[in-house]
């Protein structure tokens, strides 16, 4: 029992040595908050790896496609692993299709395809339905949001240079 849910969660995470937390989010925020008074403090100083899940407006029973925006950040690999694990479990009879998206600001980087980055992120991951895509865009956030319209689920790996930090500046 606690007055603040976030504080209670921190205690449980510490007490039980939790490695990974999944938090539900309604999609609504109040002024001055990104995700709300429970989730914001946890994201500012995470006691473990955290996934924030927002219920989709369209309630799908099966996830057929997952978008994973990636960058050089340390947690992009974790996002890819999570996508592969979820893709195996949520794709119904077939695994979900996973697309790794790297947004670049220069034509040269887009043409090179970020081959080394994708190779590093996919090293050791056995999953047949992963596609890699590099897309040039002036705004990383807008490019990701446009791409996300065509997917059932989006998974970000939060880090200092994460697309999540660019989409939600208060988390950067």
């Amino acid at each position: 029992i606690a007055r603040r849910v976030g504080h209670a969660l921190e205690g449980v995470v510490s007490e039980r040595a939790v490695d990974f937390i999944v938090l539900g989010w309604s999609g609504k925020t109040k002024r001055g908050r990104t995700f709300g008074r429970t989730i914001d403090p946890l994201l500012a100083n995470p006691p473990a790896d955290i996934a924030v899940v927002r219920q989709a407006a369209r309630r799908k029973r099966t996830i057929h496609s997952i978008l994973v925006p990636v960058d050089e950040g340390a947690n992009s690999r974790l996002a890819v692993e999570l996508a592969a694990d979820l893709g195996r479990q949520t794709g119904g009879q077939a695994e979900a299709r996973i697309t790794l998206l790297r947004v670049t600001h220069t034509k040269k980087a887009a043409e090179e395809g970020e081959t080394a980055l994708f190779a590093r992120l996919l090293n050791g991951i056995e999953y047949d339905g992963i596609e890699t895509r590099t897309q040039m865009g002036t705004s990383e956030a807008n490019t990701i949001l446009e791409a996300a319209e065509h997917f059932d689920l989006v998974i970000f790996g939060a880090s200092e240079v994460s697309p999540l930090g660019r989409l939600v500046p208060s988390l950067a």
Side-chain angles (χ1 to χ4, degrees):
I1 298 175
R3 293 183 190 267
R4 295 184 329 217
V5 175
H7 185 68
L9 285 172
E10 288 175 350
V12 170
V13 167
S14 175
E15 179 182 306
R16 297 189 183 198
V18 172
D19 294 324
F20 188 71
I21 305 167
V22 178
L23 300 169
W25 177 52
S26 67
K28 299 176 183 174
T29 60
K30 291 186 178 180
R31 179 171 268 177
R33 301 273 184 194
T34 303
F35 291 101
R37 66 180 175 183
T38 300
I39 298 176
D40 283 1
L42 290 171
L43 291 176
N45 188 19
D49 292 333
I50 297 177
V52 178
V53 179
R54 182 178 71 94
Q55 186 172 344
R58 315 175 302 241
R59 292 184 183 202
K60 289 194 160 206
R61 295 183 189 271
T62 305
I63 294 173
H64 298 286
S65 59
I66 302 171
L67 176 66
V68 185
V70 296
D71 61 15
E72 297 290 341
N75 288 322
S76 282
R77 170 65 185 210
L78 178 61
V80 173
E81 290 173 358
L82 180 59
D85 288 343
L86 288 173
R88 287 184 194 97
Q89 302 302 317
T90 62
Q93 292 181 344
E95 292 180 337
R97 176 180 50 90
I98 298 172
T99 300
L100 307 185
L101 174 65
R102 170 71 166 153
V103 178
T104 64
H105 300 291
T106 65
K107 187 175 182 178
K108 181 181 178 187
E111 289 172 353
E112 290 173 356
E114 303 287 338
T115 307
L117 171 66
F118 290 133
R120 181 175 56 80
L121 292 174
L122 294 171
N123 185 30
I125 293 180
E126 294 181 24
Y127 193 95
D128 293 331
I130 297 182
E131 169 191 338
T132 60
R133 189 168 99 199
T134 302
Q135 188 169 335
M136 197 172 94
T138 55
S139 166
E140 186 172 10
N142 287 340
T143 304
I144 292 169
L145 289 172
E146 288 173 14
E149 290 291 323
H150 307 287
F151 290 85
D152 300 324
L153 177 66
V154 180
I155 299 175
F156 289 98
S159 69
E160 290 179 21
V161 293
S162 166
L164 179 59
R166 292 189 180 111
L167 287 174
V168 186
S170 65
L171 295 178

